[in-house]
Amino acid sequence: MSIRLRTKKLIWAGVIGAAIMLIISAISGYIYYTNAQERELELQNMYQEKLKELQLTTEQNEVGYALTKDVKRGEAITGDMLVEVTLPILAKAENAMIRTQFETTSYFARTDLKAKTVLVDSFVYMDENIANDVREVEYSLIELPSKLKANDYVDVRIQFPNGDDYILFAKKKVKEVSGLTMWMDNDEGEILSMSSAIVDAYLEGAKIYAIQYVDGEMQISSQITYPVKDNVLSLIQSSPNIVNVAKLNLENQNRAALENGLSEMDEAQRESLREGEAETKRQVENQQAEEQSVKNKEEQEKIDQLNALNQFSSEETTGGSSE
């Protein structure tokens, strides 16, 4: 009897213990489930906030294109030199360029550009289409700057004895230069204008000369101001071969004012001016000749010293081998 009673108590104790453990587990599970739901809800809210931020950031960003390597001034820029970059909308310039532009047009760097530079219109210039009346011309009568080199930009001007000075060609790119000769591309109107200027140079004692731009890629072109001779003006206006008459600035040409100014100079003044220019030119040539003579003398002295050194070394070698 006592054994049965004890067994019954143990069974009830086990049942009660199991019930208590079940209750504790249920409460713990409920608390864990509740906390998990709260954490999941917090994570969902956090992810939604992050998503909203990312979406807002994406909407406020723009696409730009940056260089993958350094580019020198005048170097061609092609599509394979660009990489897509994301820019804040406030940081993107309105004139930012896109890749397709470089696939359809030839662009060149206006100045030296570093890798990772985001390209905008002002950093590049287009290779202009060549008009049908453009020809390569060669001039040896234009006074050239001593530092002039290929790919520089120049204005070609004409200066008259009375001091009048006009722009004959504006912002011309020098294709090649050798000594006193310069090559460039001119259209039909410019070729005819030069013909007029050559006549003025011979008849009126005018000087045709070139001056360089400080930064030819960035600086704006001058306006042509030279008033061509009347017969050349008529030829320009009637020529069917001239593609761009507007660039010659014909409406602002005043040949009469130029000729009136020249007519006020008497022959003595012209002769005095010619003698002054000739004397200045002689002085410059003499100075250049002296500088060249000094340079030649220094170079010859270096050659003589080198020859003497070589001769001494040869004698030493010969003497050593004979011993």
Side-chain angles (χ1 to χ4, degrees):
M1 184 72 179
S2 60
I3 294 174
R4 186 181 296 174
L5 182 61
R6 191 182 309 138
T7 302
K8 186 184 274 189
K9 287 182 180 179
L10 288 173
I11 292 172
W12 277 107
V15 171
I16 292 172
I20 292 173
M21 290 299 297
L22 181 62
I23 293 171
I24 292 174
S25 297
I27 293 172
S28 300
Y30 175 77
I31 294 173
Y32 177 81
Y33 175 75
T34 303
N35 290 338
Q37 277 193 323
E38 290 179 355
R39 285 197 301 270
E40 184 178 354
L41 187 60
E42 288 177 0
L43 287 173
Q44 287 180 351
N45 292 335
M46 184 178 68
Y47 289 148
Q48 287 178 355
E49 291 296 327
K50 291 290 184 182
L51 187 60
K52 288 180 181 178
E53 290 179 8
L54 289 173
Q55 186 175 0
L56 182 61
T57 302
T58 302
E59 291 174 353
Q60 290 182 343
N61 284 343
E62 294 286 347
V63 174
Y65 289 89
L67 291 169
T68 58
K69 64 176 186 177
D70 294 350
V71 176
K72 294 292 185 181
R73 171 184 169 184
E75 184 178 348
I77 300 175
T78 55
D80 58 359
M81 299 165 61
L82 305 176
V83 62
E84 184 177 307
V85 293
T86 302
L87 302 171
I89 192 169
L90 296 178
K92 184 183 178 185
E94 293 183 0
N95 59 342
M97 307 191 71
I98 58 176
R99 184 186 294 273
T100 54
Q101 289 179 264
F102 294 89
E103 295 173 353
T104 57
T105 308
S106 297
Y107 287 94
F108 300 85
R110 288 185 181 275
T111 186
D112 292 346
L113 299 173
K114 293 292 185 181
K116 301 182 180 180
T117 299
V118 178
L119 289 181
V120 295
D121 289 345
S122 58
F123 289 169
V124 300
Y125 66 94
M126 287 189 297
D127 188 18
E128 298 180 357
N129 293 329
I130 299 177
N132 291 331
D133 64 340
V134 172
R135 303 291 185 271
E136 183 177 85
V137 294
E138 172 185 341
Y139 294 121
S140 299
L141 54 85
I142 301 174
E143 292 188 15
L144 305 179
S146 58
K147 296 181 180 180
L148 187 66
K149 59 185 182 300
N151 297 321
D152 283 349
Y153 287 84
V154 299
D155 282 345
V156 177
R157 306 179 68 101
I158 180 168
Q159 184 184 67
F160 288 88
N162 64 346
D164 288 348
D165 198 295
Y166 300 93
I167 297 174
L168 179 58
F169 303 149
K171 198 176 182 180
K172 301 296 296 185
K173 187 174 184 178
V174 178
K175 299 184 68 175
E176 189 177 347
V177 60
S178 177
L180 301 176
T181 304
M182 174 174 61
W183 287 262
M184 62 176 63
D185 291 338
N186 277 1
D187 59 31
E188 182 68 14
E190 292 170 328
I191 293 172
L192 294 177
S193 296
M194 175 56 84
S195 298
S196 173
I198 292 173
V199 174
D200 277 332
Y202 282 111
L203 296 183
E204 306 295 346
K207 178 178 73 173
I208 302 174
Y209 66 104
I211 55 175
Q212 292 170 266
Y213 280 72
V214 176
D215 189 345
E217 301 295 352
M218 300 296 291
Q219 290 179 287
I220 298 174
S221 172
S222 305
Q223 290 290 323
I224 293 175
T225 58
Y226 168 62
V228 298
K229 297 177 72 65
D230 291 338
N231 62 318
V232 177
L233 179 61
S234 300
L235 182 59
I236 289 174
Q237 291 172 332
S238 61
S239 175
N241 297 316
I242 298 179
V243 174
N244 188 2
V245 177
K247 70 180 291 186
L248 299 176
N249 203 18
L250 298 180
E251 65 275 8
N252 290 329
Q253 293 190 13
N254 190 345
R255 184 72 192 187
L258 169 61
E259 292 182 349
N260 288 337
L262 292 173
S263 65
E264 293 177 358
M265 295 186 66
D266 56 31
E267 189 57 34
Q269 291 175 317
R270 291 175 184 268
E271 185 62 29
S272 175
L273 180 62
R274 293 191 191 100
E275 290 178 357
E277 290 179 345
E279 179 61 26
T280 301
K281 189 174 182 179
R282 280 194 298 270
Q283 291 178 359
V284 171
E285 291 175 347
N286 290 338
Q287 183 179 358
Q288 291 176 342
E290 291 177 1
E291 292 174 353
Q292 187 62 40
S293 177
V294 172
K295 184 177 180 181
N296 292 340
K297 184 178 179 180
E298 292 175 350
E299 291 179 353
Q300 187 60 47
E301 289 177 353
K302 291 179 181 179
I303 293 173
D304 293 341
Q305 291 175 0
L306 183 60
N307 290 336
L309 180 60
N310 290 336
Q311 184 177 0
F312 177 76
S313 300
S314 177
E315 291 176 352
E316 286 288 318
T317 303
T318 304
S321 60
S322 62
E323 291 176 0

